[in-house]
Amino acid sequence: MAKVGKISGFPEWLPEQKIAEDRVIATIKRIFESYGFAPIETPAVELLSTLGSKGVIDKEIFVVRRLKAEESQESELALHFDLTVPLARYVAQHQAALTFPFKRYQCQKVWRGERPQRGRFREFYQFDIDIIGRDELPLSCDAEVVSVIGLIMKELNFGPFQVRINSRRLLGGLYAELGLDEAARKAAIVAVDKLLKIGADGVKAELEKIAGISAKAVEVILKSTEIQCSASELPAKVAALGFSSDLISQGVSELVEIFGLIPDDVQPFVTVDVSLARGLDYYTGLIVETTLTKYPEFGSVFSGGRYEDLASEFTTQKLPGVGVSIGLSRIMDLALSEGLVPTGRKSPTQAVVTVYSEESRKACNEVAHTLRQAGLPTEVFYKSPKLGKQIEYAEAKGARYVLFVDGATREVQAKDLVTKEQSAVADLAAWARSVLA
């Protein structure tokens, strides 16, 4: 007999948990589509050369080989580790057929060879949106992405949340004025990105390791990370640091403009946080992260930002973009374990048609067919034991109604398993519509 055991890092939901996840997916899709984002799907695999274009560490990539492949045959394909690289390849390959700005959403599994832990999986669903421009992309698109984040988090109702935004232009300009060269600026961003994990003292120690950085620069960088404010307060707080440049001013003004374009009901959830750095190199403007206030240790649940050229490795066409990603499996793991999402239903079934005898099964099937056509998910019990067993099954599946069919007269009775009321049903379609109303 084959051994059965859970594979670490590969989440597997029970039916009621998967139904809850599907509801979350449906909510996110509805909001994405309300803004005009269109769905795409790319292959689970990409060429290794494509995945390596972003400088990913080899050990994170799962390669794909036939079990009986020749030992000398090198793998050409690998499972994608995120949806950004596939998007870059997709846009470059299909740009002649796309309408720009191209607005897409994508929900697919990705695979990463990392150590599994809470909120970190080897296989998980990622849910992305991006807006890709051709040659240029206005800040209104950045604001739209931030707005979508706020609306989704409000509707999911997983508890209090905060959307933090910052600008790589602001950080780059400030660090340049402090005398940091390009390599030192990148190192400083990586250090500041660890603030929530290692604290201010840990970041200070990391900054002091950077070659050529001054004690004054370390002091100002740490002071800048304390700026958490509304967009209207940002210019004065940045000016108080005592440094100015065109790049700093551009970063500040862009954040103010983006904030002003966010809907009024989302603005209270958005904060400018100069400690937000995001360690990835390709961000060039807006950066954004969303956290659940009650679970700060969980980290970001929605993150992303602006990049000036999505697909430079695949085309000479300049394709600036802005996008965010939600680690769907990560947030569902938290939501399910903490009871943030209801998981009552174990099945879509809302009604079960009981079967008195096999001779009446055809009549029972016809009743169920009518109910399904009216939109009510309905099962016919698979055999004909005592009615008590059939009712127990309906209750276990979470169905609210059981129906009893007289095989001879075709008369139907419906019982509400919650109220215990039972009544005759003269018009099946009308009854189904009343149940669904």
Side-chain angles (χ1 to χ4, degrees), residues 84-402:
T84 301
V85 174
L87 174 64
R89 191 266 311 153
Y90 179 96
V91 173
Q93 188 171 344
H94 299 288
Q95 59 182 303
L98 301 176
T99 300
F100 290 89
F102 176 54
K103 301 172 69 171
R104 84 81 162 90
Y105 72 80
Q106 189 172 354
C107 183
Q108 286 184 238
K109 283 188 174 181
V110 300
W111 295 266
R112 293 181 186 173
E114 60 182 358
R115 184 172 63 87
Q117 53 187 299
R118 188 182 185 190
R120 296 286 181 185
F121 301 115
R122 292 174 175 172
E123 175 187 69
F124 57 97
Y125 276 108
Q126 195 162 303
F127 211 158
D128 290 12
I129 56 168
D130 287 84
I131 307 176
I132 311 300
R134 180 176 277 159
D135 295 324
E136 62 177 1
L137 192 71
L139 290 177
S140 59
C141 296
D142 301 56
E144 191 167 285
V145 166
V146 176
S147 302
V148 167
I149 294 174
L151 292 171
I152 287 172
M153 294 303 295
K154 285 179 64 179
E155 187 138 349
L156 291 180
N157 197 27
F158 285 167
F161 67 93
Q162 183 182 43
V163 182
R164 301 183 298 139
I165 62 174
N166 195 14
S167 170
R168 274 292 182 83
R169 299 191 204 282
L170 171 56
L171 292 180
L174 177 61
Y175 296 174
E177 290 301 301
L178 291 169
L180 278 64
D181 61 21
E182 184 176 355
R185 291 198 293 272
K186 288 181 178 180
I189 286 173
V190 171
V192 171
D193 189 49
K194 300 176 183 177
L195 182 64
L196 293 179
K197 293 181 179 179
I198 63 177
D201 289 341
V203 172
K204 180 181 180 182
E206 291 280 320
L207 291 172
E208 289 173 342
K209 296 176 184 177
I210 298 173
I213 195 168
S214 67
K216 176 67 174 178
V218 172
E219 178 187 345
V220 174
I221 290 173
L222 290 173
K223 186 176 180 181
S224 72
T225 64
E226 298 172 1
I227 298 177
Q228 298 181 20
C229 61
S230 66
S232 61
E233 299 173 295
L234 182 63
K237 288 186 176 290
V238 171
L241 295 173
F243 294 87
S244 63
S245 71
D246 290 343
L247 195 55
I248 292 173
S249 298
Q250 185 181 1
V252 170
S253 64
E254 286 182 356
L255 288 171
V256 171
E257 182 177 344
I258 290 167
F259 187 89
L261 295 173
I262 296 170
D264 292 344
D265 60 336
V266 174
Q267 285 186 358
F269 302 97
V270 181
T271 301
V272 178
D273 185 347
V274 181
S275 72
L276 177 61
R278 294 197 57 75
L280 296 174
D281 285 344
Y282 57 75
Y283 292 119
T284 57
L286 172 77
I287 45 178
V288 56
E289 284 193 355
T290 307
T291 53
L292 292 167
T293 307
K294 290 178 64 176
Y295 306 95
E297 74 287 349
F298 190 74
S300 175
V301 295
F302 235 133
S303 60
R306 153 83 67 145
Y307 38 85
E308 286 311 312
D309 198 353
L310 171 76
S312 59
E313 297 86 357
F314 311 115
T315 178
T316 57
Q317 176 75 54
K318 185 179 180 183
L319 299 169
V322 60
V324 290
S325 174
I326 180 170
L328 183 68
S329 299
R330 284 189 72 241
I331 197 170
M332 285 306 305
D333 185 50
L334 176 70
L336 292 168
S337 63
E338 298 294 331
L340 305 180
V341 60
T343 56
R345 298 196 63 81
K346 296 183 178 181
S347 164
T349 303
Q350 296 189 40
V352 173
V353 179
T354 60
V355 181
Y356 286 112
S357 67
E358 291 307 312
E359 290 73 21
S360 66
R361 181 169 294 279
K362 181 172 176 57
C364 295
N365 286 345
E366 291 172 352
V367 168
H369 181 66
T370 301
L371 296 177
R372 292 177 190 130
Q373 286 189 315
L376 188 70
T378 304
E379 289 187 50
V380 179
F381 200 72
Y382 66 102
K383 56 183 182 177
S384 51
K386 292 181 179 179
L387 288 179
K389 291 288 186 183
Q390 300 185 51
I391 293 172
E392 287 176 5
Y393 173 82
E395 290 174 330
K397 291 293 290 284
R400 179 163 180 172
Y401 302 95
V402 290

Side-chain angles (χ1 to χ4, degrees), residues 411-424:
E411 292 178 353
V412 179
Q413 295 272 330
K415 181 174 183 177
D416 187 326
L417 295 178
V418 175
T419 66
K420 307 305 180 183
E421 295 178 355
Q422 183 170 324
S423 58

